[in-house]
Amino acid sequence: HLGHTVTEIHGQKRLTGVTVCRVDETLCPRPETGALVPADTLLLSVGLIPENELTRMLGAELDPATSGPRVDDRMQTSIPGLFAAGNVVQVHDLADDVSVAGEVAGTEAARYALQGPQAGPRVRVRAGQGVRSVVPQELRLPVPEGTELSLRVRRPLEKSCYVTVSRAGEAILRRRLDYARPGEMIGVRLGRRALSALQPDDEVIVEVEEA
């Protein structure tokens, strides 16, 4: 039943059925189309979209690929002093990753409140071949060792593949993966060698290709 949604669940100790309604062009249920469907199990498959109403109201730059604000490795948005983290930036796979991003944002927000803006050269990060999105979209030099880039691929690669991070046409990091799927976030940690190669106003490109 395409174009329908569950609007009511029936049963006491266990499920006995659901009411299903057709939705209109704005995806709102039409109650007059409701029909009871007997069932003993209901499986919900849902997706998340970052809530960026506040971000947009404040004027922060948004990334069309993630639907969240563009951030640097300190989780600061394009507005100085405005920090964002977790699923408002991008939809994470694990709650643990959300907590880590929140710790970074909280620490940097406190540092900003105590010390003010931290000036420094920037490095842009861009999604290249095979990559749908990458976060953070900017690095502020000097970048702490172990800083991680989170990315999602455009299409499934069920065989071994490579993640390549490059600048000025030269690879500064290359990592082999057994597979890559759009529904699974890939984390790439930047080591000392990769970070030492970065120069002010560089553009870093992240790509994924088959082995």
Side-chain angles (χ1 to χ4, degrees):
H1 296 277
L2 301 179
H4 289 71
T5 189
V6 173
T7 57
E8 192 174 356
I9 299 173
H10 306 283
Q12 295 297 324
K13 293 186 177 181
R14 69 168 300 135
L15 187 72
T16 58
V18 295
T19 297
V20 178
C21 292
R22 180 177 291 278
V23 297
D24 60 21
E25 60 277 1
T26 63
L27 301 182
C28 291
R30 294 169 50 193
E32 71 277 8
T33 65
L36 177 64
V37 178
D40 58 15
T41 303
L42 175 63
L43 176 65
L44 299 178
S45 178
V46 299
L48 300 177
I49 300 174
E51 172 52 67
N52 56 33
E53 180 181 359
L54 182 60
T55 310
R56 187 183 294 108
M57 288 173 57
L58 293 173
E61 183 179 354
L62 299 178
D63 185 334
T66 63
S67 297
R70 294 174 60 87
V71 295
D72 62 18
D73 57 292
R74 272 74 163 180
M75 306 309 294
Q76 184 171 218
T77 68
S78 59
I79 299 178
L82 178 62
F83 296 81
N87 289 334
V88 74
V89 174
Q90 63 176 339
V91 177
H92 289 266
D93 295 346
L94 302 173
D96 290 350
D97 296 336
V98 173
S99 298
V100 171
E103 290 178 6
V104 173
T107 299
E108 294 300 326
R111 180 177 288 114
Y112 185 97
L114 293 173
Q115 303 176 4
Q118 304 294 308
R122 303 274 175 153
V123 172
R124 295 178 298 278
V125 182
R126 182 169 64 84
Q129 175 183 337
V131 177
R132 180 179 181 275
S133 65
V134 60
V135 174
Q137 295 89 350
E138 194 173 60
L139 303 173
R140 191 172 70 208
L141 300 178
V143 183
E145 185 175 350
T147 293
E148 187 170 279
L149 301 178
S150 299
L151 61 110
R152 292 188 187 274
V153 295
R154 290 187 176 277
R155 63 182 182 86
L157 298 174
E158 298 299 339
K159 298 181 179 179
S160 59
C161 52
Y162 286 101
V163 177
T164 304
V165 181
S166 60
R167 62 160 296 274
E170 178 183 358
I172 59 175
L173 185 150
R174 189 169 171 84
R175 175 184 162 195
R176 182 167 182 156
L177 304 173
D178 292 332
Y179 63 89
R181 296 167 183 158
E184 298 180 20
M185 187 176 292
I186 300 170
V188 179
R189 289 189 178 273
L190 300 177
R192 186 176 304 172
R193 175 180 174 274
L195 295 176
S196 64
L198 299 179
Q199 301 295 322
D201 299 323
D202 264 349
E203 181 178 66
V204 170
I205 300 176
V206 184
E207 300 177 302
V208 175
E209 58 184 349
E210 294 179 340

